[in-house]
Each structure stands twice: as C-alpha cells, then as structure tokens.
Amino acid sequence: MATGVDESRGTTSAQLLRGQKALVTGANSGIGLATAVALGRAGADVVVNYVVGADEAEKVVAQIKDFGVRAYAHEADVSDEEQVVAMVARMVEEFGTIDIMVANAGLQRDSALTEMTLAQWQKVIDVNLTGQFLCAREAAKEFMRRGVVKEVSRSAGKIICMSSVHQIVPWAGHVNYASSKGGVGMLMQTLAQELAPHRIRVNAVAPGAIRTPINRDAWSTPEAEADLLRLIPYRRVGDPDDIANAVVAVSSDLLDYVVGATLYVDGGMTLFPGFATGG
C-alpha cells in the first residue's frame, strides 16, 4: 500500500490502524484474505474468520504476523447466532476489545427463479444478510460498552459491510444474491442511523467485478474477460487489493466523517455503461 501521511495523527498509512483490533469474516480467501492482510499491514491485530479451509486461514494468520501484529484464526459460521456470539466474545478475551468489524463472508447459490429451491434462497440470505446483522450486532455491543478511546481512534468502532454493485444493479439468475446485497445496503444505512450518536461508524464497500474464486468463470479466459470488460468503463477487472485498500481507508480516521455511505469500488460498473453509446 502506498505510504502517505495522516497529519491528524502523525502516522504514515502503514500505521493508520496501529493499536486497533479487527475481525474479518470469510478471511481465508479472495477479498477477505486481502482485507485481513491489508488491515495487519496497517497496524491492526486481526482475527481471521473462516468456515472451511483451516489450513488456508492459518497461512493468512502467518502473513499478518509478519507485520509484527497479532493474529489468530477462528472457525465460525456467521449465519449461526451462537457461533458469532462466541467468536466476538473470544476476540474480546484475547485482544481486549474490537475496533473494526468487516462483515465480508458471503456466497452464491445461482439458479433461474423458476428452478431456485427454497434452500438455495435461504442459504444465501442466511449468510449474506443475517450473518452481517449478527456480526454487526455483537460488535456494536462491545463498541457501546467501551466507548471512544481517543488514543486509538476518533470513533468508538467501525462496521464495514461488504456489499456489491448488485446492491443497486439487478442480476437475473441470481435473485437470492442480489436480494441479499440490496438488503445489506438498507441494513448498513439503518445501522448507521441508529449507531452514529454512539460515535460508531457504519459504512459499506461494494465491489464490482473482482478476480476471486467465486467468479472465476467470468474472467479466467481471454474471451470471458473481454465480455466482462464491456461492463466496466475503466477497462480492467479489479483485484482483491482494490477492495482491501478501500476497507483500510474507510476504517481509518482519515474518513472519520464518512457515515452511512456505500463506497463502490467497481471501475465504473455502476455508471450503466450501456448508455454511453445509446439511450
């Protein structure tokens, strides 16, 4: 990450989150992995949540520890209330508190509407939407208990909801996923409205097309990538680090006055590129 100066705290960007404690769900691959590593690079101690893939999670922990901060992996299904409660409780016990919750865990179960099962619908809603609610709720409890520690941050805590361009862009064949992300958008705004008086900042980061395992078919061949680029005015597919850097920024005091916002990191995908030459 490029180095800059945060004059309000007298630190470089490599220290933007020094002394803070972060939890990233779904952090053993893709965007979650890059985000967990970037938070560690910025000085935060990090909990690496995963639901499957313990070996991969431990590799992420090792990367983070190389920055001289603390990290550990924690297995938990974010759609399970008891597991989320236990995960945050353990973090408070191990690290003393939590300052940053990145609710990133998500999945897809794609199908045409008339063929989609209730199980496919419910699984995506449970993980992508209910999981974010549970993680935000437990983090907010600790933020409100502890309050602002000025030596650490100007806010009492930060919740970053990982959304998607499909928060606002319909997506045929993916009604469960698009509905879950639309829900995340309103969840984030409502939480931001409710928690802002407690000096808790809630925002969302909404990726566009990013090179991750979940969408490999969309970019793994030259033909697929060329087709995808028609939807991206900036003419490149994003990388996980593009999202990770955005999360670090919105978690830091540099953006302390940003509350209830969605930061679209999408190369212009939400600019409706089809209308550039028509309409």
Side-chain angles (χ1 to χ4, degrees), residues 179-195:
S179 297
S180 72
K181 294 304 184 178
V184 166
M186 186 52 67
L187 171 72
M188 178 277 292
Q189 289 181 300
T190 304
L191 294 179
Q193 183 188 70
E194 181 173 341
L195 296 175

Side-chain angles (χ1 to χ4, degrees), residues 33-93:
L33 186 163
T35 297
V37 171
L39 291 168
R41 184 185 298 115
D45 298 325
V46 184
V47 176
V48 175
N49 163 256
Y50 68 99
V51 68
V52 294
D55 290 345
E56 290 80 2
E58 291 298 340
K59 290 177 183 177
V60 179
V61 167
Q63 288 186 63
I64 295 168
K65 286 183 174 179
D66 282 344
F67 299 118
V69 298
R70 293 181 291 172
Y72 69 85
H74 187 101
E75 178 184 351
D77 179 349
V78 298
S79 68
D80 185 295
E81 181 177 23
E82 290 186 1
Q83 292 186 43
V84 173
V85 171
M87 176 171 64
V88 175
R90 179 190 174 192
M91 181 177 181
V92 173
E93 181 178 351

Side-chain angles (χ1 to χ4, degrees), residues 21-240:
K21 323 297 179 185
L23 190 158
V24 184
T25 64
N28 61 336
S29 68
I31 288 171
L33 186 163
T35 297
V37 171
L39 291 168
R41 184 185 298 115
D45 298 325
V46 184
V47 176
V48 175
N49 163 256
Y50 68 99
V51 68
V52 294
D55 290 345
E56 290 80 2
E58 291 298 340
K59 290 177 183 177
V60 179
V61 167
Q63 288 186 63
I64 295 168
K65 286 183 174 179
D66 282 344
F67 299 118
V69 298
R70 293 181 291 172
Y72 69 85
H74 187 101
E75 178 184 351
D77 179 349
V78 298
S79 68
D80 185 295
E81 181 177 23
E82 290 186 1
Q83 292 186 43
V84 173
V85 171
M87 176 171 64
V88 175
R90 179 190 174 192
M91 181 177 181
V92 173
E93 181 178 351
E94 297 258 357
F95 286 171
T97 192
I98 176 174
D99 300 287
I100 303 164
M101 169 64 79
V102 183
N104 166 76
L107 49 75
Q108 292 178 215
R109 295 288 186 269
D110 303 334
S111 173
L113 171 63
T114 54
E115 299 171 4
M116 183 174 289
T117 66
L118 180 59
Q120 288 174 309
W121 167 271
Q122 197 63 58
K123 183 64 175 178
V124 171
I125 297 298
D126 286 348
V127 173
N128 295 10
L129 183 55
T130 303
Q132 294 211 18
F133 156 73
L134 291 171
C135 289
R137 185 190 71 184
E138 293 309 301
K141 289 178 182 178
E142 172 60 12
F143 298 159
M144 293 171 73
R145 180 202 67 79
R146 188 201 61 235
V148 177
V149 180
K150 293 181 179 179
E151 295 77 15
V152 175
S153 176
R154 297 176 68 182
S155 70
K158 283 83 63 169
I159 297 169
I160 294 87
C161 298
M162 196 62 70
S163 189
S164 165
V165 293
H166 297 294
Q167 176 177 313
I168 60 171
V169 178
W171 199 16
H174 306 77
V175 65
N176 47 4
Y177 184 84
S179 297
S180 72
K181 294 304 184 178
V184 166
M186 186 52 67
L187 171 72
M188 178 277 292
Q189 289 181 300
T190 304
L191 294 179
Q193 183 188 70
E194 181 173 341
L195 296 175
H198 300 281
R199 294 296 296 274
I200 296 168
R201 293 198 296 114
V202 187
N203 292 288
V205 172
I210 307 297
R211 296 181 192 275
T212 65
I214 198 172
N215 64 356
R216 185 178 301 276
D217 290 346
W219 53 263
S220 59
T221 68
E223 295 78 14
E225 183 167 348
D227 193 48
L228 180 59
L229 289 175
R230 293 187 300 106
L231 301 175
I232 308 171
Y234 201 57
R235 294 296 186 266
R236 78 168 173 89
V237 180
D239 295 309

